[in-house]
Amino acid sequence: AVVSTQSTGIRFIDRDGDACTVNAHVGESLMKTAHRYDIDLEGACDGTIACCTCHLVVHPEWYDKIGSEPCEDELDMLDMAYGLTDTSRLGCQVIVKPELEGMVVRIPPYEPQYT
């Protein structure tokens, strides 16, 4: 995807419930946006759809505005994500576009660790 100098405001809600609005570049993924702003969203496979560490929950009002459905590979990875919802997406697969101005996404809590 071609990344533009045009930006779109995206609101991230972190695992603690704290929110911040950042300027996402049109054409970049939400995962890349989060990394540029040091938002605590992993991306272990660097966007190759080989993990689910960039799992985000998109606010229901915004989900259909993304404009693309998850592909089979993304759905397979989401099946392994903790806290899966009907509006879950991988941040590496959601590409920022101007129509997403004001979109709200939440970073779900980590999977509980059992010892």
Side-chain angles (χ1 to χ4, degrees):
V2 175
V3 177
S4 167
T5 55
Q6 182 181 3
S7 65
T8 297
I10 303 290
R11 188 168 184 82
F12 285 87
I13 301 172
D14 69 15
R15 291 178 179 88
D16 296 324
D18 297 325
C20 69
T21 300
V22 299
N23 290 317
H25 296 309
V26 170
E28 80 179 343
S29 71
L30 290 180
M31 181 189 75
K32 294 289 185 194
T33 299
H35 291 175
R36 278 194 308 106
Y37 284 94
D38 293 324
I39 293 170
D40 188 21
L41 180 69
E42 289 187 51
C45 76
D46 200 31
T48 61
I49 320 178
C51 73
C52 61
T53 60
C54 66
H55 172 215
L56 293 169
V57 177
V58 178
H59 189 283
E61 151 185 341
W62 290 97
Y63 187 81
D64 289 335
K65 296 176 184 172
I66 292 170
S68 65
E69 290 295 317
C71 67
E72 284 302 314
D73 288 342
E74 182 179 358
L75 291 172
D76 289 346
M77 290 300 110
L78 284 170
D79 282 343
M80 296 186 284
Y82 181 75
L84 186 66
T85 73
D86 289 341
T87 61
S88 287
R89 290 296 302 265
L90 295 181
C92 67
Q93 298 302 299
V94 177
I95 304 301
V96 176
K97 58 185 184 176
E99 298 83 4
L100 298 180
E101 175 70 41
M103 182 168 79
V104 178
V105 295
R106 181 175 52 83
I107 301 170
Y110 284 121
E111 183 170 356
Q113 298 298 307
Y114 300 101
T115 55

